Amino acid sequence: MIHDYDLYDKRFREYVASTRSKDDFIQEHLDLKAEHTFRVVENIYQIARNSGLNEDEIITAKLIALVHDIGRFEQFIKYRTFDDSQSVNHAELGVQILKKTGFLKELDKVSELLVYEAIMNHNVSKLDEGIDKNVLHFARLIRDADKVDIWYILTQRDVVNKILNDISQEKSYIVPDFILDAYRKGVTVPSATSMNDYRLLRLSWIYDMNFPATFALVLKRDYIDRILSKVPRSKEKEEIAGIIYRYVHEKAGMHQEPSQRILPMQPQ
């Protein structure tokens, strides 16, 4: 059980301060990652609270969000990239850092292991439904909170993987058949070769979101429309937009008041 979230918040801020770099390029990216972390903490708080979790569960969720990307700082300092495929698995590195620094030393072993396992599962391509149910529950929470912030970032600026860094904005755009087919089948888009592909790929994360409160949150913040507005109009885009809105409204429609406990929905 976690009694003092503020202790870990202070400890995290001290860790972030210890990674400061004189290299402006590195520091800019470290600042972005710290800002991302605190937004994910707020997201997970909103999702957990509006899903009826009790106070202990909410604090646990916030702690997981606080440290879920702690490996990103050392990763970028050493490799100058956030691309795990070009460097290291940032989740594994994060757990190593937490253990090495004794970051969670006040926790009982069960709670400590829960935090580690949730971190290790926050960036896997697909959750293993056979893992411990408590770990699965918190892994779903952090994955949802993380995705919501990546959607926020997409409304603010273009964020792309290394493979897309040199791709210019398309003046015209035809939705590839494989992307339209993914939405028609209700599965996540597997790949992207352009910025607009990437936007539609990220929006297909609706099929990997778990809580009604998550869908309600993205609707409240109008992220879907703000991201879709960047994609040139076409009949294929309009079909995809319709699929997205029908799906998200249906899932958000299951949202209940905080006093009513909501269990995570099964993945699609």
Side-chain angles (χ1 to χ4, degrees), residues 3 5 13 32 63 71 83 102 118 146 157 178 186 202 218 237:
H3 298 286
Y5 172 81
R13 292 173 189 272
L32 289 173
L63 176 57
D83 187 339
D146 202 17
R157 62 185 188 278
F178 77 93
R202 289 303 188 229
V218 298
K237 177 210 167 174

Side-chain angles (χ1 to χ4, degrees), residues 56-72:
D56 287 339
E57 292 171 314
I58 291 173
I59 293 173
T60 299
K62 286 179 62 180
L63 176 57
I64 291 167
L66 183 70
V67 296
H68 82 284
D69 265 355
I70 199 168
R72 288 297 200 187

Side-chain angles (χ1 to χ4, degrees), residues 169-201:
Q169 292 292 333
E170 302 99 325
K171 290 185 172 62
S172 63
Y173 175 66
I174 299 174
V175 177
D177 290 342
F178 77 93
I179 290 181
L180 182 58
D181 188 54
Y183 276 99
R184 286 172 172 171
K185 291 179 178 177
V187 297
T188 54
V189 174
S191 61
T193 57
S194 74
M195 190 62 229
N196 285 312
D197 286 358
Y198 184 85
R199 291 177 177 124
L200 295 176
L201 183 156

Side-chain angles (χ1 to χ4, degrees), residues 47-84:
I47 296 167
R49 184 190 66 177
N50 291 323
S51 296
L53 274 64
N54 64 42
E55 192 63 27
D56 287 339
E57 292 171 314
I58 291 173
I59 293 173
T60 299
K62 286 179 62 180
L63 176 57
I64 291 167
L66 183 70
V67 296
H68 82 284
D69 265 355
I70 199 168
R72 288 297 200 187
F73 298 89
E74 186 173 312
Q75 178 190 43
F76 202 87
I77 290 169
K78 185 174 182 179
Y79 299 100
R80 300 174 74 88
T81 181
F82 289 134
D83 187 339
D84 286 12

Side-chain angles (χ1 to χ4, degrees), residues 19 32 49 79 92 105 116 123 142 204 222 225 250:
T19 66
L32 289 173
R49 184 190 66 177
Y79 299 100
E92 292 179 2
K105 60 187 177 184
Y116 293 153
N123 66 330
I142 185 57
S204 75
D222 199 28
D225 190 53
E250 177 186 351

Side-chain angles (χ1 to χ4, degrees), residues 5 12 34 36 39 50 61 77 79 83 97 101 103 107 110 155 174 190 192 195-196 229 232 251:
Y5 172 81
F12 177 78
H36 163 74
R39 290 194 302 267
N50 291 323
I77 290 169
Y79 299 100
D83 187 339
I97 290 169
T101 60
F103 194 100
L107 293 188
V110 173
T155 70
I174 299 174
M195 190 62 229
N196 285 312
S229 69
K251 298 303 183 183

